Amino acid sequence: MSILEIKNLHVKIEGEDTEILRGIDLTVNPGEVHAIMGPNGSGKSTLSYVLSGKDDYEITEGSVTYKGDDLLEMEVDERASAGVFLAFQYPIEIPGVPTMTFLRTALNAQRKARGEEELTTPAFMKVVREKSQMLKIRQEMLKRPVNVGFSGGEKKRAEILQMAVLEPSLCVLDETDSGLDIDALKIVAEGVNALRSPERAMVVITHYQRLLNYIVPDHVHVLSQGRIVKSGGKELALELEESGYENFTEQAA
Amino acid sequence: MADLETVERVKEIDVDKYKYGFKTEIESELAPKGLSEDIVRYISAKKDEPEWMLEWRLAAYRRWLTMEEPDWARVDYPKIDFQDLHFYAAPKTTEGPKSLDEVDPVLLETYAKLGIPLKEQELLAGVRKHDEPSQLDDAGVPSYGSGKVAIDAVFDSVSVVTTFKEELAKAGVIFCSISEAVKEHPELVKKYLGSVVPQSDNYYATLNSAVFSDGSFVYIPKGTRCPMELSTYFRINEENTGQFERTLIIADEGSYVSYLEGCTAPMRDENQLHAAVVELVTLDDAEIKYSTVQNWYPGDADGKGGIYNFVTKRGDCRGKNSKISWTQVETGSAITWKYPSCILRGDNSQGEFYSIAISNGRQQVDSGTKMIHLGKNTSSRIISKGISAGKSSNTYRGLVSAHRKASNARNFTQCDSLLIGDQCGAHTVPYIEAKNSTATFEHEATTSKISDDQMFYAQQRGLNEEEAVALIVNGFVRDVLQQLPMEFMAETQKLIGISLEGSVG
Ligand SMILES: Nc1ncnc2c1ncn2[C@@H]1O[C@H](COP(=O)(O)OP(=O)(O)OP(=O)(O)O)[C@@H](O)[C@H]1O
Ligand SMILES: [Mg+2]
């Protein structure tokens, strides 16, 4: 069974006329990494928000199935506990809540929702220590409030740390590479690669082929004006790097 | 109170939304309804008080007859019929402090339900094992300290039992009910009672002076650091009783004490009046840290029932270099009218007020502080966090004043309001009076809403709506939470979540 199956998905902003997603079809199987590329404003973040259940969007047509269930019927937190994770393009600040507390509250909330035992403090600390070491995140940073005062790169790394701790089945990464310096890019990519497994799938949204040198995708899709206009293997990303989106935008228009 | 599992345990009792809303079936002795000189005499006689105490009460009562109920606060409630209240209620089987073994087991059970492990307290001398890690703290925060807490539990009007008396006595600390202090330490009570909050101070304080039933008395001798946290746990059980506690804490020169106060009340349809007076005195170089977690029954969703909490709390930094710090977490009561204040009389004295006030449903809160700078080089600090949800109203009212002689008075005030939903109200009413040109007063205020983006982010990580609100609000109040003694912190975090249940969606 596929992890994610999107069929003819049409999406509008609530209360407005223009469609932002205009008939998306995408099937993601366990173990696969799909890259989505496309010009600014083509609907990449919108797709990630619709998958994670953000309000403000109206689905006018189509369906999304997650592990056989109707994803669009599920609440935001239900989707999270069922294993849908979104690494935000612009991570949100929560003043006064230490990152460590946030991680722990999130993990235990998900475990509770799945009917699992909450992790004990030592067990939790062990997990966090391992994962943050891998991502070269200092423990000091985890005492600071969620994303408050983090640099752009630190925010992105913190997103991947959350992903690593929560161990989702479907990881949607929205421009996780933007704002990262070259070393950080490698570290983050290693972190992501460490999570690749036969049971887990990833949708990686990016503007740059460079990330895909490190996180090598099985499939690459070009999203333009709310439609997937071309799909291919990892070489498609190279092609795009050479010639830009121009050809595809015209096709879509 | 001072037990990490309290909320969990009380949750199991599960009475509607208000987790502490159970009533204990024990016989109690009630004064006839109404208020008159005879009732004042009845209360005094019940407590076997000396003549001077009775006279003091009667003077207050006569004064009260000439006073009008204040109406300046931003709260709205039907007029209280003082002739329809019982001004004294005592559990029949316990006329005064006894050893634990003699206490009515039903009472002890009530305390157990409330999470006050009185029995365990004496046995284990602590609320938690040393090596037990905290369940809620943040990375790097050390686990709880010795966890020793001495409790003076007030059940309706009578202090039932005071734990840890012996250990405290060794340190020379006096910690007992105020009734006992009147008899055992009359020289201290005469000297200090009413010296901070005079009998004629305000309508409710004067009423309290006439009919106060019980409360705690603390005296810390010179140069003594109180060896443990002291705690009072108040609970209103009897129907139609007004609870009028009177607390008096004196920190003699160079001494220190941290005092915790927790409050709950069973659910009732009628409103219950609670008018307490707390007086603190610090002499030279002394410090008192006074923390309150107030969780009285707030009434139901339609505003029926709930406690009227009209409290006068004031500290007098009488000596030089002395310090008084108020920390309050106000989540309960239908109406809260409360302004813990500091009189900064001694040179170089310091006053602090840290407050979290949460209102939900139809609760009305009008709370804040007064910092009265009289001495030289005095400083004060006010951090107030107000959270309003539902159809509630939440007002911060503060006064900072510097007397003509208070050179170099300094104040910093920060007043933050957080709104949940769009049917609630938050108001900030700061008064500032500087009669000395060297005073520096700073005031900052913010009002914000929980953003949809924050909610979505937290929910995307697996928190449900209520958990997300609780988390964000706990972040908002963090600066104040950190002022609480460790024993209170974890529980307070949970309490904040509970009191905001149903505030979204
Ligand atoms: N809440 C909104 N209200 C109005 N328009 C919106 C809203 N959200 C998205 N849009 C519009 O929908 C389109 C797609 O936006 P989206 O953020 O999905 O693009 P993107 O592909 O992620 O772009 P980028 O590469 O710049 O991140 C844009 O034209 C954007 O302006
Ligand atoms: Mg985007």
Side-chain angles (χ1 to χ4, degrees), chain B residues 223-293:
Chain B
T224 304
R225 206 182 155 84
C226 187
M228 63 188 79
E229 308 261 0
L230 303 182
S231 169
T232 306
Y233 207 100
F234 290 112
R235 180 169 157 76
I236 297 178
N237 192 61
E238 198 57 44
E239 280 175 72
N240 292 322
T241 56
Q243 188 162 8
F244 305 93
E245 325 93 26
R246 184 95 196 183
T247 295
L248 176 58
I249 302 179
I250 303 135
D252 211 328
E253 292 172 19
S255 68
Y256 170 83
V257 64
S258 167
Y259 189 88
L260 324 175
E261 171 197 55
C263 331
T264 62
M267 279 199 307
R268 301 220 184 283
D269 281 354
E270 293 118 279
N271 297 96
Q272 285 162 283
L273 175 64
H274 176 253
V277 172
V278 175
E279 296 178 278
L280 312 181
V281 180
T282 48
L283 302 183
D284 290 358
D285 305 301
E287 179 177 349
I288 298 176
K289 186 174 164 59
Y290 193 104
S291 313
T292 305
V293 174

Side-chain angles (χ1 to χ4, degrees), chain A residues 49 52 54 76-77 80 84-86 88 92-93 95-98 100-102 104-106 109-110 112 121 143 147 159 162, chain B residues 133-141 451-454 456-465 467 471-472 474-476 478:
Chain A
Y49 286 145
S52 49
K54 194 174 194 228
V76 179
D77 54 311
V84 176
F85 181 92
L86 169 61
F88 284 56
I92 306 296
E93 298 181 358
V97 177
M100 187 71 96
T101 305
F102 184 64
R104 179 172 177 159
T105 311
Q110 293 200 9
K112 201 174 78 191
T121 308
K143 291 182 196 163
N147 293 319
E159 290 290 286
Q162 293 181 35
Chain B
S134 121
Q135 294 300 303
L136 276 164
D137 64 347
D138 311 316
V141 175
S451 79
D452 292 345
D453 282 345
Q454 286 175 335
F456 174 62
Y457 190 65
Q459 288 174 274
Q460 208 299 306
R461 298 304 185 242
L463 282 70
N464 65 31
E465 219 163 39
E467 290 165 336
L471 180 94
I472 294 166
N474 268 302
F476 174 73
R478 186 172 168 80

